[in-house]
Amino acid sequence: MPQEPFMMSDNPGDDNDASLLLDSRPKTKRPPLYKVLLLNDDYTPMEFVVLILERFFGMTHAQSFEIMLTVHKKGVAVVGVFSHEIAETKVGQVMDFARRHQHPLQCTMEREE
């Protein structure tokens, strides 16, 4: 026979106070997030930056083009915000891909405040 779910009693003298269990739980903090940044240089072709954004960040061509222009005009742009592990992986993928194609494109990450 299945057990009945735990029910709090309406009796004030009852020692089954479930709120004590809830109050003793440790508060968990969300892990910090990290911004992935692309930095401008004078050598990496704009089309290559668009390709990076489409391939590694899942952006549409239009989104990639807009961010590429931001990188070109402002020198840097945030291309995504991720957990530490994912940000680290994306930076590594972009840097490896750029090196393999002999472009000096720089991609970094920094903790989001």
Side-chain angles (χ1 to χ4, degrees):
M1 177 175 199
Q3 286 188 328
E4 290 292 320
F6 175 74
M7 303 287 275
M8 286 188 57
S9 171
D10 290 333
N11 298 335
D14 207 352
D15 284 337
N16 293 333
D17 190 355
S19 67
L20 291 177
L21 292 174
L22 296 177
D23 291 342
S24 66
R25 278 190 171 169
K27 297 253 191 272
T28 55
K29 281 176 39 176
R30 296 188 128 207
L33 295 175
Y34 290 79
K35 298 184 281 190
V36 174
L37 308 160
L38 274 186
L39 307 175
N40 189 42
D41 65 71
D42 294 332
Y43 304 102
T44 304
M46 293 178 175
E47 298 80 18
F48 187 77
V49 175
V50 170
L51 174 66
I52 290 278
L53 294 168
E54 289 173 350
R55 178 177 280 198
F56 297 106
F57 297 93
M59 296 181 187
T60 65
H61 186 75
Q63 291 168 324
S64 299
F65 192 81
E66 285 297 313
I67 290 182
M68 176 275 297
L69 286 178
T70 301
V71 172
H72 182 68
K73 292 176 184 174
K74 296 189 176 182
V76 65
V78 175
V79 297
V81 179
F82 308 96
S83 69
H84 185 271
E85 292 78 14
I86 293 174
E88 201 170 51
T89 298
K90 296 232 181 242
V91 167
Q93 289 173 328
V94 169
M95 295 297 290
D96 288 346
F97 192 72
R99 269 194 300 265
R100 278 196 314 247
H101 290 84
Q102 299 177 348
H103 295 301
L105 182 67
Q106 292 296 301
C107 184
T108 63
M109 61 188 262
E110 65 182 40
R111 189 173 174 156
E112 187 176 55
E113 298 300 325

